mmCIF file of all heavy atoms in Angstrom:
data_model
loop_
_atom_site.group_PDB
_atom_site.id
_atom_site.type_symbol
_atom_site.label_atom_id
_atom_site.label_comp_id
_atom_site.label_asym_id
_atom_site.label_seq_id
_atom_site.Cartn_x
_atom_site.Cartn_y
_atom_site.Cartn_z
ATOM 1 N N GLU A 243 202.877 159.526 13.814
ATOM 2 C CA GLU A 243 202.601 158.089 13.753
ATOM 3 C C GLU A 243 203.686 157.380 12.963
ATOM 4 O O GLU A 243 204.059 157.813 11.871
ATOM 5 C CB GLU A 243 201.235 157.838 13.098
ATOM 6 C CG GLU A 243 200.819 156.382 13.054
ATOM 7 C CD GLU A 243 199.465 156.194 12.398
ATOM 8 O OE1 GLU A 243 198.901 157.186 11.891
ATOM 9 O OE2 GLU A 243 198.968 155.052 12.383
ATOM 10 N N THR A 244 204.204 156.281 13.541
ATOM 11 C CA THR A 244 205.234 155.488 12.878
ATOM 12 C C THR A 244 204.638 154.156 12.433
ATOM 13 O O THR A 244 204.127 153.398 13.265
ATOM 14 C CB THR A 244 206.421 155.214 13.825
ATOM 15 O OG1 THR A 244 206.960 156.446 14.297
ATOM 16 C CG2 THR A 244 207.510 154.427 13.106
ATOM 17 N N PRO A 245 204.682 153.838 11.151
ATOM 18 C CA PRO A 245 204.184 152.541 10.673
ATOM 19 C C PRO A 245 205.124 151.413 11.099
ATOM 20 O O PRO A 245 206.195 151.679 11.659
ATOM 21 C CB PRO A 245 204.157 152.714 9.155
ATOM 22 C CG PRO A 245 205.174 153.764 8.883
ATOM 23 C CD PRO A 245 205.182 154.683 10.057
ATOM 24 N N PRO A 246 204.769 150.157 10.855
ATOM 25 C CA PRO A 246 205.648 149.040 11.217
ATOM 26 C C PRO A 246 207.050 149.222 10.637
ATOM 27 O O PRO A 246 207.202 149.657 9.499
ATOM 28 C CB PRO A 246 204.945 147.819 10.602
ATOM 29 C CG PRO A 246 203.506 148.202 10.574
ATOM 30 C CD PRO A 246 203.490 149.676 10.282
ATOM 31 N N PRO A 247 208.088 148.920 11.423
ATOM 32 C CA PRO A 247 209.462 149.151 10.967
ATOM 33 C C PRO A 247 209.940 148.183 9.893
ATOM 34 O O PRO A 247 210.961 148.421 9.259
ATOM 35 C CB PRO A 247 210.289 148.999 12.241
ATOM 36 C CG PRO A 247 209.479 148.096 13.098
ATOM 37 C CD PRO A 247 208.046 148.421 12.804
ATOM 38 N N LEU A 248 209.215 147.083 9.688
ATOM 39 C CA LEU A 248 209.602 146.145 8.645
ATOM 40 C C LEU A 248 208.422 145.274 8.240
ATOM 41 O O LEU A 248 207.433 145.157 8.961
ATOM 42 C CB LEU A 248 210.756 145.251 9.106
ATOM 43 C CG LEU A 248 210.462 144.081 10.059
ATOM 44 C CD1 LEU A 248 211.620 143.118 10.068
ATOM 45 C CD2 LEU A 248 210.205 144.579 11.475
ATOM 46 N N LYS A 249 208.538 144.705 7.057
ATOM 47 C CA LYS A 249 207.559 143.755 6.557
ATOM 48 C C LYS A 249 208.219 142.390 6.540
ATOM 49 O O LYS A 249 209.179 142.152 5.807
ATOM 50 C CB LYS A 249 207.095 144.142 5.148
ATOM 51 C CG LYS A 249 205.987 143.248 4.603
ATOM 52 C CD LYS A 249 205.538 143.732 3.231
ATOM 53 C CE LYS A 249 204.401 142.857 2.693
ATOM 54 N NZ LYS A 249 203.961 143.316 1.346
ATOM 55 N N GLU A 250 207.713 141.508 7.384
ATOM 56 C CA GLU A 250 208.332 140.202 7.557
ATOM 57 C C GLU A 250 208.237 139.351 6.290
ATOM 58 O O GLU A 250 207.223 139.382 5.588
ATOM 59 C CB GLU A 250 207.666 139.450 8.715
ATOM 60 C CG GLU A 250 207.839 140.121 10.065
ATOM 61 C CD GLU A 250 209.172 139.789 10.694
ATOM 62 O OE1 GLU A 250 210.052 139.270 9.990
ATOM 63 O OE2 GLU A 250 209.328 140.052 11.892
ATOM 64 N N THR A 251 209.293 138.573 6.051
ATOM 65 C CA THR A 251 209.300 137.606 4.954
ATOM 66 C C THR A 251 209.047 136.221 5.525
ATOM 67 O O THR A 251 209.845 135.701 6.304
ATOM 68 C CB THR A 251 210.654 137.621 4.216
ATOM 69 O OG1 THR A 251 210.885 138.932 3.709
ATOM 70 C CG2 THR A 251 210.661 136.633 3.071
ATOM 71 N N ASN A 252 207.911 135.639 5.175
ATOM 72 C CA ASN A 252 207.550 134.320 5.672
ATOM 73 C C ASN A 252 206.820 133.573 4.564
ATOM 74 O O ASN A 252 205.773 134.035 4.086
ATOM 75 C CB ASN A 252 206.661 134.434 6.916
ATOM 76 C CG ASN A 252 206.417 133.091 7.591
ATOM 77 O OD1 ASN A 252 206.138 132.089 6.942
ATOM 78 N ND2 ASN A 252 206.536 133.063 8.908
ATOM 79 N N PRO A 253 207.340 132.416 4.122
ATOM 80 C CA PRO A 253 206.707 131.682 3.021
ATOM 81 C C PRO A 253 205.354 131.077 3.372
ATOM 82 O O PRO A 253 204.631 130.639 2.471
ATOM 83 C CB PRO A 253 207.735 130.584 2.702
ATOM 84 C CG PRO A 253 208.493 130.396 3.974
ATOM 85 C CD PRO A 253 208.554 131.738 4.614
ATOM 86 N N PHE A 254 204.999 131.087 4.666
ATOM 87 C CA PHE A 254 203.761 130.430 5.081
ATOM 88 C C PHE A 254 202.607 131.404 5.337
ATOM 89 O O PHE A 254 201.497 130.980 5.651
ATOM 90 C CB PHE A 254 204.006 129.591 6.346
ATOM 91 C CG PHE A 254 205.013 128.504 6.151
ATOM 92 C CD1 PHE A 254 206.326 128.669 6.559
ATOM 93 C CD2 PHE A 254 204.656 127.311 5.534
ATOM 94 C CE1 PHE A 254 207.266 127.667 6.377
ATOM 95 C CE2 PHE A 254 205.587 126.299 5.343
ATOM 96 C CZ PHE A 254 206.897 126.483 5.762
ATOM 97 N N GLY A 255 202.858 132.703 5.220
ATOM 98 C CA GLY A 255 201.779 133.667 5.428
ATOM 99 C C GLY A 255 202.294 134.994 5.925
ATOM 100 O O GLY A 255 203.499 135.209 6.094
#
Side-chain angles (χ1 to χ4, degrees):
E243 183 180 5
T244 303
L248 77 164
K249 184 177 181 180
E250 296 278 14
T251 301
N252 188 315
F254 299 99

